Amino acid sequence: MPIFNPLEWLRQSRGSRRLVLVVVCVALLLDNMLLTVVVPIIPTFLYATEYKRPDPSPTPIPSRLVSPRPPQEEAAFSAIVSRYDNATYVLRVAATAASAAVANGNLSEPASASTAAPNGSSPEAPGGCSVNGDFLEQENVRVGLMFASKAMVQLLVNPFVGPLTNRIGYHIPMFAGFVIMFASTIMFAFSGTYTLLFVARSLQGIGSSFSSVAGLGMLASVYSDDNERGVAMGIALGGLAMGLLIGAPFGSVMYEFVGKSSPFLILAFLAIFDGALQLCILQPSKISPGSVEGTPLLTLLRDPYILITAGSLCFANMGVAMLEPTLPIWMMQTMCSPKWQLGMAFLPASMSYLIGTNLFGILANKMGRWLCSMIGMVIVGISLLCVPFAKSIYGLIGPNGGLGFAIGMVDSSMMPIMAYLVDIRHASVYGSVYAIADVAFCMGFAIGPSTGGAIVRSIGFPSLMVIIGIINILYAPLCWFLRNPAAREEKMAIINQECPMAVKSYNTQRDSREFPLSDDSGEEPED
């Protein structure tokens, strides 16, 4: 019986399409876990560390020094005997608050602090929660900018990463993304100020740019058949969805019961595992440029079909991007939600996104990817309109579940279309086109959080949901133009098929799985 040799198996399996898919899935999983694990942690962490609760300044006075006071002053003072050190604490409270507290049999902290709130405002939120509503409204903007910093940096780096992968291949940028992601995770674990957390979030954007652009481009190159590519993209987006699914609940529970650093240290350990997997399966020290020069980025940006596809990705994901910084704070204000619920609120969206990406990775190619995306954007809009009607965390299950499922429909349809459009209209090199796709994601996650907090502060959370919901519904009909994209060889002629997305064995690469041939090869899809 032959002995299994793992090193020999890895050597023979290096470059395998399935193992490449595993590597990309793990990379997207970790990236999006880090993306969402901070969502429930940052607002509550900043509130706990930066909000200075009004201090009633109790002064311990030995009981033997307490002298009788006139009857008119007794209503304004209250003596509390501490069982810890047997000392008496004298608190000055309003007469009405003191009498109410005595009537209720206790002196609560909000009652004693209400008279000392800055600017005469009560620290209680509009819904009666023991949090400062004014402070949270100001925190909306700062938290939104921090969450958007990752996407903003990624937006700036992507135009350079796309052409770089065309020159040196996908392996080195993929490994560079792992190294930068690991450094960002360690910074999150040990940062205690807003500035350091902002830097860590921005650094994550650089690592995410390398990982996502190189990973999706690698998948598009090794899965040359359009049907197989759609399935592979759906599985890879399933890894992304799993990261979104696990991240927020994992972060909220670990932060509540273990501490702030614990979820990030676990993610750092998983990132080391991902780096080891890349070293074994890929060849991150090997420069392997493509056999043909890719289409310039500006040329791709002038393609109307690519712009429509990128717009769908941007606006569909902008909805959940606006929810990330604003929904936890809105829940704290209106639902008095504990910390663990702030992450659990995103669980239905993440779970339904996981289902949607895997389901429509197969179905979208049969029903028409343009139609799948159009329906998905309409459902995104309707779900966002329903979010403000929730009165508790259970009321968020339906809207967030529909939102995640619909975004899964859009993403699993639009990502394969990006590669398909390059195949029929440009040179079949995928680094630049997936840089555009990642830019679309980043614009959604940059514009969403950065403007969402300011809009909430100006006109309120429900109005924000109405605005972004209507934008998605109005944009959805533009997906109809993707029904028959014109092929490059025929200029503006329509492909001779009833449904252009249901191509049969359309193969853009005859000789190599890793790097495609030029689009001058003249091969066209069969009817």
Side-chain angles (χ1 to χ4, degrees):
M1 182 177 179
I3 301 176
F4 175 73
N5 187 343
L7 295 178
E8 181 66 20
W9 177 80
L10 284 174
R11 187 186 65 82
Q12 294 177 358
S13 302
R14 175 170 287 182
S16 167
R17 296 197 302 173
R18 292 185 178 180
L19 291 182
V20 169
L21 180 58
V22 170
V23 170
V24 175
C25 280
V26 173
L28 293 177
L29 169 71
L30 292 177
D31 181 22
N32 286 275
M33 277 193 71
L34 185 58
L35 175 71
T36 55
V37 76
V38 302
V39 170
I41 295 177
I42 296 301
T44 51
F45 177 75
L46 292 177
Y47 184 85
T49 57
E50 295 187 357
Y51 174 61
K52 305 301 181 183
R53 190 176 296 275
D55 186 9
S57 301
T59 304
I61 303 176
S63 57
R64 64 179 181 274
L65 297 181
V66 177
S67 59
R69 297 184 180 275
Q72 65 271 16
E73 293 185 8
E74 290 179 359
F77 290 85
S78 176
I80 300 177
V81 179
S82 171
R83 296 182 181 179
Y84 176 75
D85 55 1
N86 293 323
T88 300
Y89 294 83
V90 179
L91 300 180
R92 181 181 181 89
V93 296
T96 55
S99 60
V102 172
N104 294 329
N106 69 330
L107 279 171
S108 61
E109 181 183 4
S112 61
S114 61
T115 58
N119 301 325
S121 61
S122 173
E124 293 188 2
C129 308
S130 298
V131 293
N132 188 290
D134 294 336
F135 182 84
L136 286 179
E137 289 179 0
Q138 297 175 1
E139 202 71 7
N140 255 320
V141 179
R142 299 176 71 228
V143 172
L145 289 175
M146 179 188 294
F147 286 172
S149 64
K150 183 255 186 188
M152 290 178 179
V153 172
Q154 195 170 346
L155 190 65
L156 298 175
V157 175
N158 276 337
F160 300 98
V161 176
L164 179 65
T165 58
N166 294 341
R167 293 189 180 95
I168 67 175
Y170 304 109
H171 298 168
I172 294 178
M174 191 80 177
F175 191 77
F178 144 72
V179 175
I180 299 173
M181 198 74 63
F182 177 79
S184 172
T185 307
I186 294 298
M187 280 198 67
F188 269 118
F190 298 104
S191 296
T193 64
Y194 178 85
T195 302
L196 291 177
L197 291 171
F198 191 95
V199 173
R201 183 73 168 183
S202 303
L203 188 63
Q204 183 194 354
I206 302 176
S208 179
S209 177
F210 279 93
S211 296
S212 56
V213 173
L216 294 173
M218 189 185 304
L219 277 185
S221 65
V222 299
Y223 284 91
S224 56
D225 181 79
D226 189 60
N227 292 324
E228 292 182 350
R229 180 185 293 157
V231 175
M233 289 289 180
I235 296 174
L237 291 175
L240 184 151
M242 186 63 68
L244 297 175
L245 173 67
I246 300 173
F250 171 73
S252 60
V253 172
M254 293 293 290
Y255 178 48
E256 173 81 22
F257 299 106
V258 183
K260 168 184 165 289
S261 300
S262 55
F264 300 108
L265 293 177
I266 294 176
L267 286 181
F269 174 78
L270 295 177
I272 294 177
F273 169 76
D274 176 56
L277 200 62
Q278 292 188 34
L279 286 174
C280 294
I281 297 175
L282 306 179
Q283 295 177 334
S285 61
K286 177 183 176 182
I287 297 179
S288 51
S291 58
V292 295
E293 184 178 355
T295 305
L297 191 65
L298 292 177
T299 302
L300 296 176
L301 287 173
R302 288 194 293 265
D303 190 319
Y305 298 106
I306 291 178
L307 289 180
I308 292 175
T309 306
S312 298
L313 292 171
C314 176
F315 289 117
N317 287 275
M318 190 182 294
V320 70
M322 285 186 169
L323 282 179
E324 283 186 355
T326 57
L327 181 61
I329 295 177
W330 182 70
M331 292 173 63
M332 291 170 65
Q333 290 178 304
T334 61
M335 303 179 186
C336 307
S337 300
K339 287 184 286 187
W340 67 269
Q341 285 190 2
L342 303 183
M344 287 296 180
F346 293 91
L347 185 62
S350 303
M351 187 175 298
S352 58
Y353 182 84
L354 176 63
I355 297 173
T357 52
N358 284 276
L359 181 62
F360 287 95
I362 301 173
L363 293 181
N365 198 30
K366 298 180 179 179
M367 64 182 291
R369 290 174 181 151
W370 67 273
L371 179 61
C372 183
S373 178
M374 184 167 67
I375 296 174
M377 293 197 71
V378 172
I379 299 177
V380 167
I382 295 174
S383 299
L384 289 171
L385 293 175
C386 294
V387 168
F389 293 101
K391 302 301 181 183
S392 68
I393 188 175
Y394 303 104
L396 292 171
I397 294 177
N400 282 0
L403 179 65
F405 189 79
I407 295 177
M409 294 176 66
V410 176
D411 289 354
S412 60
S413 303
M414 294 293 100
M415 296 306 287
I417 283 183
M418 281 289 195
Y420 179 75
L421 291 173
V422 167
D423 286 337
I424 65 174
R425 296 175 57 81
H426 306 280
S428 296
V429 180
Y430 307 101
S432 294
V433 77
Y434 279 110
I436 294 175
D438 208 39
V439 164
F441 275 111
C442 294
M443 288 187 67
F445 280 92
I447 298 174
S450 59
T451 61
I455 294 175
V456 167
R457 188 177 181 183
S458 300
I459 59 178
F461 179 80
S463 299
L464 172 66
M465 294 295 100
V466 171
I467 291 173
I468 187 60
I470 292 177
I471 289 176
N472 273 271
I473 294 174
L474 293 179
Y475 190 91
L478 292 179
C479 297
W480 183 86
F481 291 100
L482 297 174
R483 182 175 181 271
N484 274 325
R488 177 178 182 270
E489 294 81 3
E490 304 170 354
K491 302 301 180 183
M492 297 305 295
I494 304 299
I495 297 177
N496 187 23
Q497 286 184 351
E498 192 172 308
C499 181
M501 296 306 167
V503 292
K504 298 180 181 179
S505 301
Y506 175 51
N507 196 327
T508 62
Q509 304 151 320
R510 285 193 293 250
D511 299 327
S512 171
R513 283 181 175 177
E514 186 174 359
F515 298 101
L517 297 175
S518 168
D519 60 338
D520 295 332
S521 58
E523 185 175 5
E524 299 179 4
E526 301 175 3
D527 293 335

